[in-house]
Amino acid sequence: MWYTSTRGMAPQVDFEGALFSGYAPDGGLYVPEELPQLDRDTLHHWSKLSYPSLVKELCSLFIGPKLIPRAELHGHCSKIQELQMTTVVKDNVHVFGVEGNSDELDEPIKDVFADVAFVKKHNLMSLNSINWSRVLVQIAHHFFAYFQCTPSMDTHPLPLVEVVVPTGAAGNLAAGCIAQKMGLPIRLVVGVNHNDIIHRTIQQGDFSLSEAVTPTLASAMDIQVPYNMERIFWLYSGCNSQVTRSLMEKFESTHTLLLPKELHSKLLEAVTSESVSDEAITRAMARCWEENQYQLCPHSAVAVSYHYQQTDRQQPSVPRCCLAPASAAKFPEAVLAAGLSPSPPAEILALEHKETRCTPMRREDNWTQMLRDTIEALSQRWKGQAVMP
């Protein structure tokens, strides 16, 4: 399996090249050169697998056996998931406190990854959904959710399942779109907060910036530039890198983009959307606790809010799954705003007694240079530690 940039101006790489990377050198995102198509028999077989075995089967389609033998895939996929889900708070981690938002931080990150020699010298990679491996593992979420919600795999055609995806940078949405393209019969609903560029893109074809990012209870969704929409534009433009590059260059230069009618039509056929207010988020959190004694995080509540809207209208519905991306323990302010009592686990409480280490990034600073200097310094430190007896 080879990977190419959504913008088509960077050399192809194998899975290892896509894994140990961030943005492609041309500013695009890595995507598979082709998507495997799954038949009914494969889906039926996968439906009987445990989640780890399902991830192994999925990854085998995207990682060549010469790179990682099939027998070793399970361990490697588990390591990828651990890297993406766990932060090791030791001397290995350098934290920046940004005087700005995640969209603004994305620019210096893109600048750093555009320097191919620097990336190779320091073996840089990204572990957010810029990185293809993050999206790959998220594809498995959609398959597993489908199999959990499907009453039977013996019907013709296979039953449809609605998957509600709360999102900020659109990584999990891109994963769902790819799963759909591979043959999984799901209907995608994307949920966002007041920062609604994805909602406007789907409903109106308007991929344009608002005047500012609005802080909300679902803070990980406080994004105006959901970079994985580039993968989605590539996917629904027929994997056309020339079209994708033209669209993204226009957006980057003007911050305004109206999708071509054909692309918007295809996107609207595959995905619908909802924008959810802070008030709706706290109502969903309170209702879920009252009915199920389960504390939702505010991002999960975006998806569940849509579910409550649909059930309250008593409209006929297919089976529905709401993806839950985080724990309520990370968002005590939102839990309190919902009239609930935070109940953080002991592991979280223990962090309160740890030393706080953070380098501030102020607006007047050169963030790209700060990242480069820090990477250089850490690289030299680690090299020094490596040669110590």
Side-chain angles (χ1 to χ4, degrees):
M1 173 68 75
W2 290 95
Y3 293 84
T4 185
S5 167
T6 48
R7 304 192 187 188
M9 301 296 286
Q12 289 181 328
V13 297
D14 61 9
F15 178 78
E16 184 177 20
L19 173 63
F20 293 105
S21 69
Y23 285 101
D26 62 357
L29 298 170
Y30 284 115
V31 285
E33 191 174 40
E34 58 182 339
L35 293 179
Q37 298 301 301
L38 304 180
D39 57 25
R40 182 187 183 89
D41 290 340
T42 300
L43 292 175
H44 195 277
H45 168 64
W46 283 14
S47 70
K48 301 176 182 178
L49 301 177
S50 65
Y51 179 72
S53 296
L54 174 62
V55 173
K56 177 181 175 180
E57 291 296 320
L58 177 68
C59 287
S60 71
L61 300 177
F62 292 93
I63 306 173
K66 292 183 179 179
L67 190 61
I68 303 179
R70 185 179 177 84
E72 299 177 15
L73 265 177
H74 179 79
H76 283 275
C77 292
S78 297
K79 288 177 182 177
I80 291 172
Q81 288 179 283
E82 288 171 7
L83 280 170
Q84 293 169 349
M85 298 172 67
T86 305
T87 300
V88 182
V89 187
K90 295 183 179 179
D91 291 337
N92 306 352
V93 177
H94 193 97
V95 178
F96 288 99
V98 180
E99 193 177 77
N101 58 55
S102 59
D103 292 330
E104 292 168 319
L105 180 57
D106 193 44
E107 291 303 314
I109 293 173
K110 183 177 285 191
D111 291 342
V112 168
F113 275 106
D115 187 339
V116 178
F118 187 81
V119 170
K120 289 183 177 179
K121 176 183 177 182
H122 299 289
N123 298 313
L124 299 183
M125 66 183 295
S126 168
L127 282 176
N128 60 9
S129 59
I130 292 170
N131 194 299
W132 162 252
S133 69
R134 171 71 169 260
V135 177
L136 172 58
V137 174
Q138 287 176 319
I139 295 172
H141 299 170
H142 292 268
F143 279 93
F144 193 70
Y146 176 82
F147 298 137
Q148 295 299 301
C149 294
T150 306
S152 172
M153 292 292 291
D154 296 322
T155 59
H156 296 270
L158 288 173
L160 186 69
V161 169
E162 188 171 75
V163 181
V164 190
V165 186
T167 197
N172 221 339
L173 177 61
C177 292
I178 291 170
Q180 198 180 60
K181 284 284 188 179
M182 291 173 67
L184 189 67
I186 55 175
R187 183 167 67 200
L188 291 165
V189 180
V190 58
V192 298
N193 58 20
H194 185 76
N195 299 290
D196 64 348
I197 185 171
I198 298 177
H199 179 55
R200 286 185 284 110
T201 302
I202 292 169
Q203 297 300 324
Q204 305 166 27
D206 179 18
F207 189 65
S208 303
L209 294 187
S210 300
E211 290 185 3
V213 174
T214 302
T216 72
L217 292 174
S219 55
M221 294 179 174
D222 294 345
I223 291 175
Q224 276 214 83
V225 186
Y227 41 80
N228 272 288
M229 290 302 290
E230 180 166 343
R231 283 188 170 111
I232 293 170
F233 295 159
W234 175 84
L235 197 64
Y236 290 109
S237 65
C239 306
N240 190 318
S241 57
Q242 185 175 350
V243 168
T244 306
R245 183 171 69 254
S246 176
L247 292 174
M248 295 313 299
E249 287 178 349
K250 183 178 188 303
F251 173 74
E252 288 170 350
S253 63
T254 67
H255 296 167
T256 300
L257 178 66
L258 292 178
L259 297 187
K261 287 185 178 180
E262 183 178 1
L263 174 58
H264 179 224
S265 177
K266 289 181 178 179
L267 178 61
L268 196 53
E269 286 176 11
V271 186
T272 188
S273 62
E274 187 72 32
S275 177
V276 176
S277 67
D278 272 0
E279 291 75 16
I281 288 172
T282 53
R283 284 199 303 270
M285 293 173 69
R287 178 171 172 179
C288 185
W289 176 257
E290 181 181 349
E291 295 180 359
N292 304 287
Q293 297 295 290
Y294 181 85
Q295 281 195 2
L296 292 169
C297 89
H299 309 81
S300 309
V302 168
V304 174
S305 176
Y306 171 83
H307 168 69
Y308 286 150
Q309 287 180 35
Q310 301 305 305
T311 55
D312 289 348
R313 293 170 184 167
Q314 298 183 336
Q315 294 179 342
S317 175
V318 300
R320 180 182 299 119
C321 169
C322 296
L323 300 187
S327 165
K330 295 173 63 177
F331 306 96
E333 297 86 357
V335 173
L336 289 169
L340 306 175
S341 299
S343 53
E347 294 86 351
I348 299 294
L349 292 173
L351 294 176
E352 295 178 359
H353 305 291
K354 298 287 185 179
E355 177 189 358
T356 300
R357 292 174 296 178
C358 179
T359 300
M361 276 184 164
R362 299 181 177 85
R363 289 197 177 275
E364 63 269 19
D365 294 333
N366 184 329
W367 292 3
T368 299
Q369 194 60 49
M370 289 181 70
L371 287 177
R372 291 177 66 96
D373 291 346
T374 301
I375 291 166
E376 288 276 11
L378 291 174
S379 183
Q380 290 300 318
R381 183 197 306 172
W382 293 334
K383 286 178 181 177
Q385 291 173 348
V387 298
M388 290 176 65

